[in-house]
Amino acid sequence: MSVLDLAPVVPVVVIEDASDAVPLARALVAGGLPAIEVTLRTPAALDAVRAIAADVPDAVVGTGTVVTPEQVTASVAAGARFLVSPGWTDVLLEAMRASGVPFLPGVSTASEVVALLERGVREMKFFPAQAAGGTAYLKSLAGPLPQARFCPTGGIGAANAPEYLSLPNVGCVGGTWMLPADAIAARDWARVEELARAAAELRDAGGTCR
């Protein structure tokens, strides 16, 4: 499984209440976004992953903000099917590799990309995308390093996602715009599904969000 090919957008989800996990995941899947990254930023994150893995079979749930080998182990035990890190070290990389599930180590420089390619890793998270140079930087990497593919995350929304997705070295983007805080607070899952469906229409690179 390549996380980069599941959907044009990977929702980056911060879950404060684990009871929201299943209806939220169902809304995203119904909207056409099956790959869901639950960030390990809250105490509810791993419980949320367990619930989604158990009750939303069409979801491909993973964890993000993975920064330690212990989080790798806990994520996989909870049912995570992929791992995403904001950066990487050799220790973290080996733990992710040993986990047996796909992973996207984070990079923001050409040297980091080359180092991962040396280690046999070709799929990466580009983070923080906008702050690290955005589409111009990724275009510059495509020439000398065409074998690297990216999921840019950080500062990406409905307006600029199509520009990223039009690049040959971008498989998908990560974002939160289909998860507005007021909709989550109101548990307005119908709105989340509608926004997810609009994001899923970006599957054709260079498409537009409605």
Side-chain angles (χ1 to χ4, degrees):
M1 180 189 76
S2 172
V3 178
L4 301 186
D5 297 327
L6 292 173
V9 179
V10 176
V12 180
V13 182
V14 180
I15 295 182
E16 301 287 349
D17 186 341
S19 67
D20 290 337
V22 168
L24 175 59
R26 286 175 175 159
L28 292 170
V29 171
L33 300 181
I36 301 169
E37 176 189 334
V38 177
T39 67
L40 299 181
R41 301 180 191 176
T42 69
L46 289 175
D47 286 337
V49 171
R50 290 186 191 95
I52 294 169
D55 296 335
V56 192
D58 291 333
V60 180
V61 63
T63 56
T65 323
V66 176
V67 295
T68 69
E70 292 77 16
Q71 288 177 327
V72 170
T73 300
S75 295
V76 175
R81 295 173 61 186
F82 65 91
L83 307 166
V84 184
S85 68
W88 65 277
T89 64
D90 280 320
V91 171
L92 180 59
L93 186 66
E94 288 311 307
M96 292 193 291
R97 195 192 302 273
S99 72
V101 302
F103 56 92
L104 297 174
V107 297
S108 60
T109 69
S111 294
E112 291 170 326
V113 175
V114 171
L116 284 177
L117 291 174
E118 285 182 350
R119 290 159 173 80
V121 178
R122 297 191 174 195
E123 297 187 344
M124 312 165 195
K125 171 179 177 172
F126 180 59
F127 175 82
Q130 282 291 96
T135 55
Y137 195 88
L138 287 169
K139 287 177 185 176
S140 297
L141 291 180
L145 302 169
Q147 63 272 53
R149 296 181 71 214
F150 301 97
C151 174
T153 304
I156 298 177
N160 61 355
E163 184 179 0
Y164 279 93
L165 289 166
S166 70
L167 301 178
N169 56 352
V170 170
C172 64
V173 299
T176 61
W177 73 88
M178 72 298 299
L179 301 162
D182 58 342
I184 302 302
R187 293 177 167 82
D188 187 352
W189 310 127
R191 183 179 172 201
V192 171
E193 179 179 341
E194 179 183 0
L195 291 169
R197 184 169 291 109
E201 291 176 357
L202 294 169
R203 183 174 301 280
D204 294 327
T208 57
C209 255
R210 291 182 303 176

